[in-house]
Amino acid sequence: MTTAMGSFRTFIGNENGTSNRSGYQLQILGGSKLSFDYASGSANIAITGGTDLVSLTWYHGAVTWDGSFLRLYLNGVSDATAVAQTITAAPGFNWTIGWDGNHSAGVQGFTPIDDVRVYSTALTSQEVLDIYNAGAQ
């Protein structure tokens, strides 16, 4: 993914797009930080990385959840961790790449994205780093 200017850019999401939000989004928040957001009705878990992203630069972003902790990775390295003991699947919602369930693709603008993957198990820190290193070659 590359960064782009704007308040937020969603890279991948699975959200119902209603006022009673449910689903997930991996995005750039505030124009400069990698963020992951999970919502289920009134419950919301959000995690935002500490690294300032530079516009027009390629980054590798990943998020994992092992049943206890939500971890956000930037370029293979942990950028933020949060306690998150309850995250449920968002069945029936379409996965979107490049926009979220609340907007059409043209509203938020285009951000180049390459090699999206969704796993059914939580990756370890080493596995995230290995994937980053394999793609950085």
Side-chain angles (χ1 to χ4, degrees), residues 39-59:
S40 180
S42 62
N44 188 63
I45 300 170
I47 184 171
T48 300
T51 303
D52 285 321
L53 305 177
V54 178
S55 186
L56 302 177
T57 302
W58 278 98
Y59 292 97

Side-chain angles (χ1 to χ4, degrees), residues 7-30:
S7 62
F8 73 93
R9 296 279 189 258
T10 298
F11 296 105
I12 183 170
N14 180 1
E15 185 177 82
N16 66 351
T18 69
S19 60
N20 190 23
R21 283 188 345 120
S22 185
Y24 347 89
Q25 292 184 39
L26 181 61
Q27 61 193 0
I28 292 179
L29 187 64

Side-chain angles (χ1 to χ4, degrees), residues 41-129:
S42 62
N44 188 63
I45 300 170
I47 184 171
T48 300
T51 303
D52 285 321
L53 305 177
V54 178
S55 186
L56 302 177
T57 302
W58 278 98
Y59 292 97
H60 176 267
V63 62
T64 64
W65 178 63
D66 63 9
S68 298
F69 293 96
L70 192 60
R71 292 182 175 88
L72 188 65
Y73 294 88
L74 184 65
N75 293 342
V77 178
S78 179
D79 200 36
T81 302
V83 174
Q85 297 183 3
T86 304
I87 293 182
T88 57
F93 305 147
N94 292 326
W95 283 97
T96 59
I97 300 172
W99 61 283
D100 69 15
N102 292 319
H103 305 287
S104 65
V107 171
Q108 295 182 48
F110 179 76
T111 299
I113 301 166
D114 180 44
D115 197 15
V116 173
R117 300 178 192 189
V118 177
Y119 295 89
S120 61
T121 60
L123 300 177
T124 65
S125 295
Q126 185 61 53
E127 289 170 321
V128 172
L129 181 60

